Amino acid sequence: MFHYAGNCPVRYIDPDGRDHGIPSNIQRILDNRQKLNELRVNAREIKSTGMAGNRDIHFAKHLRGDGCFARACIIADYLREKGYKVNYAYVNHPKMPNSDKRFYYHIAACVEIDGENYVVDPIYNHEGENSGLSKFEAWKNFQNPLDDKPDIPESGILSGYDENGNVKENRHIQRFYKYNKNGALSVPDYAEKLLEYYEKTYNPETKSGDLYYDGL
């Protein structure tokens, strides 16, 4: 019983019997559980299909310098459409999966539910096999970031909103969007096109592609 009640059973009762229907604290728990279950479904679909809604995230065909910032932008936009408040999980100079090499940084969409940050990142699956979902601390610790690059943020959660509550795209997609010459492309649309362009220009010998896309 104590485990079921979060080790504090008194917290989840109606002491004076005056609450109508389900007590508000229990309703909050049920609502958060439903949100997390829905997030798990969304993360697994992104992982399995390589799509976030109707946008292709061009997932993990080439892990080196493949534009995680653009993928994070696409996934964040999709999750916001689903009603989630989305921030960004960020690591500074992390270890690449299954390699001794390191990315300069890695970034992914992140959703907070009941005080816990969940990272929607198809590269990592700490919430279950092929889940595409991880708790932030597990996601960060697995990558063992060195936090030694002074020109980028330290590892942590970066806000996806400005001081007025408006959506703020991650700093890296903002930088590349400045090269866009197609005014019809939203930032998430540009992010998808950028990843497509990277695939087209990828060189197996140099193991890199061109991320400077003009949108045309």
Side-chain angles (χ1 to χ4, degrees), residues 2-34:
F2 278 79
H3 174 74
Y4 176 80
N7 216 31
C8 183
V10 177
R11 182 179 176 188
Y12 305 123
I13 62 175
D14 176 13
D16 60 12
R18 295 178 181 178
D19 275 0
H20 295 283
I22 301 175
S24 58
N25 50 7
I26 295 180
Q27 187 62 58
R28 177 180 60 80
I29 294 168
L30 295 175
D31 290 346
N32 285 332
R33 184 175 297 173
Q34 181 177 346

Side-chain angles (χ1 to χ4, degrees), residues 22-156:
I22 301 175
S24 58
N25 50 7
I26 295 180
Q27 187 62 58
R28 177 180 60 80
I29 294 168
L30 295 175
D31 290 346
N32 285 332
R33 184 175 297 173
Q34 181 177 346
K35 285 174 63 177
L36 179 55
N37 287 338
E38 291 172 352
L39 184 65
R40 287 185 172 125
V41 170
N42 292 323
R44 186 176 291 275
E45 287 180 351
I46 292 169
K47 167 80 174 181
S48 63
T49 66
M51 301 288 292
N54 60 0
R55 294 192 182 104
D56 192 336
I57 62 170
H58 297 272
F59 165 58
K61 296 174 183 176
H62 311 292
L63 274 177
R64 181 178 174 183
D66 70 338
C68 62
F69 59 90
R71 188 172 301 113
C73 171
I74 295 170
I75 293 174
D77 184 69
Y78 172 68
L79 293 175
R80 289 186 182 112
E81 290 179 354
K82 291 285 186 179
Y84 293 100
K85 181 179 179 180
V86 185
N87 294 310
Y88 292 101
Y90 196 86
V91 277
N92 179 313
H93 205 190
K95 185 177 177 292
M96 290 182 180
N98 306 314
S99 172
D100 292 330
K101 297 180 180 180
R102 289 183 174 271
F103 293 123
Y104 200 79
Y105 66 88
H106 186 52
I107 188 170
C110 182
V111 174
E112 181 181 344
I113 298 177
D114 199 23
E116 187 78 63
N117 287 296
Y118 292 88
V119 185
V120 181
D121 183 356
I123 295 178
Y124 300 104
N125 307 280
H126 296 293
E127 283 291 289
E129 185 178 0
N130 295 320
S131 66
L133 191 68
S134 307
K135 290 181 180 178
F136 172 71
E137 288 300 325
W139 179 85
K140 181 186 75 171
N141 292 339
F142 184 79
Q143 298 176 79
N144 187 27
L146 298 180
D147 279 307
D148 59 354
K149 300 298 182 183
D151 57 325
I152 58 175
E154 294 181 354
S155 301

Side-chain angles (χ1 to χ4, degrees), residues 147-199:
D147 279 307
D148 59 354
K149 300 298 182 183
D151 57 325
I152 58 175
E154 294 181 354
S155 301
I157 304 297
L158 306 181
S159 178
Y161 303 86
D162 64 20
E163 60 275 8
N164 297 316
N166 299 313
V167 170
K168 180 175 67 175
E169 303 292 354
N170 75 72
R171 59 183 277 147
H172 299 290
I173 192 63
Q174 287 185 51
R175 171 193 167 198
F176 283 91
Y177 189 68
K178 292 178 181 178
Y179 295 98
N180 178 41
K181 297 178 181 178
N182 184 349
L185 291 179
S186 67
V187 178
D189 288 338
Y190 172 80
E192 180 186 25
K193 296 293 185 182
L194 182 151
L195 290 172
E196 181 181 347
Y197 181 68
Y198 180 88
E199 286 295 320

